[in-house]
Amino acid sequence: MNIITSKANNVVKKAKKLHHKKYRKDSYLIEGWHLFEEAVSSGAELIRIFALAEYAEQLADFSQVIFVSSEILADLADSKTPQGIVAEVAFERKEIPLELSGRYLFLEDVQDPGNVGTIIRTADAAGFDGVFISQLSADIYNLKTLRSMQGSHFHLPVYRMDTADFIRLAQSSHLPILASTLSSTSIDYREVNSRESFALVMGNEGQGISPEMTAAADILVHISMKGQAESLNVAVAAGILIFHLS
């Protein structure tokens, strides 16, 4: 059994570059057994599987396995305590639908990878039909985002689209836009009943939704708070709204 022990190995160097967005042209890395199993069960294309030799028996059916030392695996992984496996997965190219029907989420410039991943995972848990993220939102193939999503991108289509294009798509589909913001015209979210078809919009952590989205929204909603906190984390707020509207 060959085990790669050098960081200078070309295959290792190429894989390590996938930590950076500019090199993620056709593939990305996932880390840990849960994400690996989600990728396999979803039928995702696995290009390479980097693993410790102790998992040879578990990975006997995979021809893409490359065994590496614990030092190399730690270098390829992003977490402090790697689980012994990192895989390179091919991008699945998804066609943006020409018309929307169902429950969708639009993340407008949500920049923290943990927030983006957590919100997508919550939308998956609530049975949403898809997620759109703006160009300035965090990259879903960032390892931190992937850890937060816990494989939800294998179940739920995620598209990247700018605000203006999403507004046009929603309006042409006659899909009501419900946007989260605190303003003189927003209403408490509990005044809005659950529904089968809508687009829920969550905005940037600091600035909220854009004026363009505010003007386009059919309903502006806010979460009333009883305590002294000025605001909720966007992922927490999204969770409340996602499950209320569902």
Side-chain angles (χ1 to χ4, degrees), residues 143-202:
L143 281 168
K144 291 180 181 177
T145 314
L146 288 164
R147 277 204 305 275
S148 297
M149 284 193 295
Q150 285 294 296
S152 284
H153 68 298
F154 292 125
H155 317 147
L156 189 67
V158 181
Y159 312 98
R160 191 170 285 274
M161 176 180 279
D162 65 28
T163 295
D165 287 339
F166 180 77
I167 290 171
R168 280 192 289 270
L169 177 59
Q171 291 178 339
S172 67
S173 303
H174 305 290
L175 191 73
I177 297 175
L178 285 68
S180 174
T181 189
L182 179 60
S183 73
S184 59
T185 57
S186 63
I187 61 174
D188 188 283
Y189 76 99
R190 289 167 292 190
E191 296 180 38
V192 182
N193 294 326
S194 62
R195 50 192 65 201
E196 292 299 319
S197 190
F198 62 88
L200 172 63
V201 180
M202 303 302 299

Side-chain angles (χ1 to χ4, degrees), residues 198-210:
F198 62 88
L200 172 63
V201 180
M202 303 302 299
N204 174 266
E205 290 90 343
Q207 303 300 317
I209 62 173
S210 66

Side-chain angles (χ1 to χ4, degrees), residues 2-223:
N2 292 325
I3 299 176
I4 295 176
T5 59
S6 172
K7 293 181 181 180
N9 179 277
N10 286 333
V11 175
V12 171
K13 288 168 64 178
K14 184 178 179 181
K16 181 68 182 293
K17 286 183 176 181
L18 296 176
H19 284 199
H20 305 285
K21 184 178 179 179
K22 67 179 180 179
Y23 294 109
R24 292 196 289 265
K25 305 297 183 184
D26 301 300
S27 61
Y28 62 100
L29 295 180
I30 58 172
E31 176 188 340
W33 285 99
H34 175 72
L35 282 181
F36 175 73
E37 289 162 2
E38 289 283 351
V40 172
S41 64
S42 72
E45 181 186 348
L46 298 171
I47 298 172
R48 295 180 185 87
I49 302 167
F50 300 93
L52 300 180
E54 64 194 79
Y55 299 113
E57 186 175 344
Q58 291 163 255
L59 297 168
D61 293 334
F62 297 92
S63 61
Q64 313 96 314
V65 178
I66 298 171
F67 293 109
V68 297
S69 66
S70 57
E71 290 77 16
I72 296 298
L73 192 79
D75 198 43
L76 291 174
D78 183 60
S79 63
K80 293 181 180 179
T81 55
Q83 296 179 24
I85 188 167
V86 171
E88 181 182 350
V89 183
F91 282 137
E92 181 185 355
R93 307 296 179 184
K94 297 183 177 72
E95 292 291 329
I96 294 175
L98 298 176
E99 186 174 350
L100 301 179
S101 177
R103 293 173 292 185
Y104 288 87
L105 182 68
F106 181 69
L107 303 184
E108 186 180 33
D109 302 351
V110 178
Q111 296 178 336
D112 180 79
N115 285 337
V116 169
T118 299
I119 296 171
I120 292 173
R121 182 180 178 184
T122 304
D124 178 23
F128 269 47
D129 296 290
V131 177
F132 289 80
I133 59 175
S134 69
Q135 301 295 346
L136 294 180
S137 289
D139 181 15
I140 69 163
Y141 299 109
N142 176 297
L143 281 168
K144 291 180 181 177
T145 314
L146 288 164
R147 277 204 305 275
S148 297
M149 284 193 295
Q150 285 294 296
S152 284
H153 68 298
F154 292 125
H155 317 147
L156 189 67
V158 181
Y159 312 98
R160 191 170 285 274
M161 176 180 279
D162 65 28
T163 295
D165 287 339
F166 180 77
I167 290 171
R168 280 192 289 270
L169 177 59
Q171 291 178 339
S172 67
S173 303
H174 305 290
L175 191 73
I177 297 175
L178 285 68
S180 174
T181 189
L182 179 60
S183 73
S184 59
T185 57
S186 63
I187 61 174
D188 188 283
Y189 76 99
R190 289 167 292 190
E191 296 180 38
V192 182
N193 294 326
S194 62
R195 50 192 65 201
E196 292 299 319
S197 190
F198 62 88
L200 172 63
V201 180
M202 303 302 299
N204 174 266
E205 290 90 343
Q207 303 300 317
I209 62 173
S210 66
E212 184 180 14
M213 184 60 77
T214 301
D218 297 285
I219 304 175
L220 297 174
V221 299
H222 65 259
I223 299 171

